[in-house]
Amino acid sequence: MATIHPTAIVDAGSRIADDAIIGPYSVVGADVTLGPGVELMSHVVVGGHTTIGRGTKVFPFASLGLIPQDLKYRSEPSRLVIGEGNTIREHVTMSPGTSGGGMVTEVGNHCLFMVGVHVAHDCRIADRVIMVNNATLGGHVTVDEHAILGGLSAVHQFVRIGRYAMVGGMSGVEQDVIPFGTVTGDRASLRGLNLVGLDRHGFDKDDINKLRRAYRLLFADEGTLWERMTDVEDEFEGCQPIDLILRFMRTKSSRGLCQPRDGHAS
């Protein structure tokens, strides 16, 4: 039977795994599901149609699944789905989806959300993402695997963050960030590749060198972006990381592509 502190308020309609732990003064709503090994440390509020996966640990004063900060929301039974093995630190807020965004906000597995992070309605976050203190996502943002968002960064609605990308602290991201890219700035611009991340994740050195050459070609001054993409595809055919970047760049987006400024295509 789950371990529930006597000061916690847990609705009888909730579904709580036998080995879940609900700490002091936490509140769990009627449409909440807590998977095996989930721990709400204390003063955690989980409401709405929210599912939290196996082994996720939620620290004090987090608020998960309450109505989104969207004036178009009309009490539709949208969901927040949080995967397995996540760490959700103090004062994190995550909103459910809306009818305008597929009715669900999704968080993958083994992510780290540091103090004060906000995940808005209809976001899609993949596995092993790190969001540093007070990083904020607007609605409908997509964050792919292994991306890192620095402290106090803010991502505009509908922006896509590619896998293994790095968003520098205090950056305002208004456009899509390519996989393996690094962006910084008050209005973020592309500053190069996330070479530290590539090395840490064990990417082949030959592939890293190809990525560096492809990056220079993609963001050179000559020709149109579409022409440069075609040239890169022809020259680096079969290189999986480069194929990933090209697919990302060719995917239709409402926000456009974050590109270098001031000679940073190197």
Side-chain angles (χ1 to χ4, degrees):
M1 187 173 180
T3 301
I4 302 175
H5 193 275
T7 61
I9 300 173
V10 180
D11 193 285
S14 61
R15 293 160 294 283
I16 312 297
D18 288 344
D19 60 348
I21 300 172
I22 301 176
Y25 301 102
S26 294
V27 179
V28 177
D31 296 306
V32 171
T33 299
L34 303 183
V38 169
E39 180 178 359
L40 313 182
M41 293 186 67
S42 74
H43 299 84
V44 174
V45 177
V46 186
H49 297 264
T50 299
T51 299
I52 302 179
R54 178 187 299 272
T56 289
K57 189 170 186 176
V58 186
F59 282 68
F61 304 105
S63 174
L64 309 175
L66 302 186
I67 64 172
Q69 298 174 112
D70 183 346
L71 295 176
K72 299 185 298 299
Y73 180 73
R74 293 292 182 268
S75 300
E76 55 265 32
S78 56
R79 297 178 295 136
L80 169 64
V81 179
I82 299 170
E84 299 182 355
N86 294 291
T87 299
I88 300 173
R89 293 302 305 252
E90 296 86 351
H91 298 282
V92 168
T93 54
M94 295 183 179
S95 301
T98 66
S99 59
M103 294 287 285
V104 63
T105 300
E106 295 179 303
V107 174
N109 304 319
H110 307 292
C111 299
L112 170 59
F113 301 93
M114 297 188 194
V115 172
V117 161
H118 176 60
V119 176
H121 58 90
D122 304 296
C123 287
R124 304 299 201 274
I125 300 177
D127 297 344
R128 300 188 185 279
V129 166
I130 297 174
M131 294 183 65
V132 182
N133 302 63
N134 296 300
T136 298
L137 302 181
H140 311 272
V141 169
T142 299
V143 184
D144 289 337
E145 292 88 348
H146 294 280
I148 299 176
L149 282 70
L152 297 166
S153 60
V155 182
H156 194 283
Q157 289 185 336
F158 294 99
V159 162
R160 299 177 299 147
I161 307 295
R163 64 183 67 184
Y164 296 97
M166 174 71 192
V167 175
M170 301 182 69
S171 296
V173 184
E174 296 180 315
Q175 296 175 303
D176 297 347
V177 179
I178 61 170
F180 313 107
T182 294
V183 299
T184 61
D186 173 37
R187 290 297 179 265
S189 60
L190 191 60
R191 299 298 177 125
L193 294 170
N194 182 13
L195 296 175
V196 173
L198 287 163
D199 183 62
R200 285 177 177 171
H201 288 286
F203 277 79
D204 182 79
K205 291 192 181 298
D206 184 54
D207 280 347
I208 293 175
N209 288 332
K210 288 178 180 178
L211 276 167
R212 297 180 74 173
R213 284 158 41 209
Y215 178 89
R216 293 189 191 100
L217 288 172
L218 283 170
F219 299 104
D221 293 329
E222 297 81 13
T224 66
L225 180 59
W226 189 262
E227 289 170 339
R228 297 193 298 269
M229 288 167 61
T230 301
D231 291 341
V232 166
E233 184 176 40
D234 291 341
E235 181 170 345
F236 298 99
E237 183 179 3
C239 180
Q240 187 174 1
I242 294 172
D243 289 343
L244 183 69
I245 292 175
L246 293 173
R247 285 198 302 272
F248 182 94
M249 294 174 72
R250 285 175 172 148
T251 301
K252 185 177 179 180
S253 169
S254 63
R255 295 302 306 168
L257 196 67
C258 194
Q259 298 196 43
R261 293 192 204 121
D262 304 323
H264 285 285
S266 59

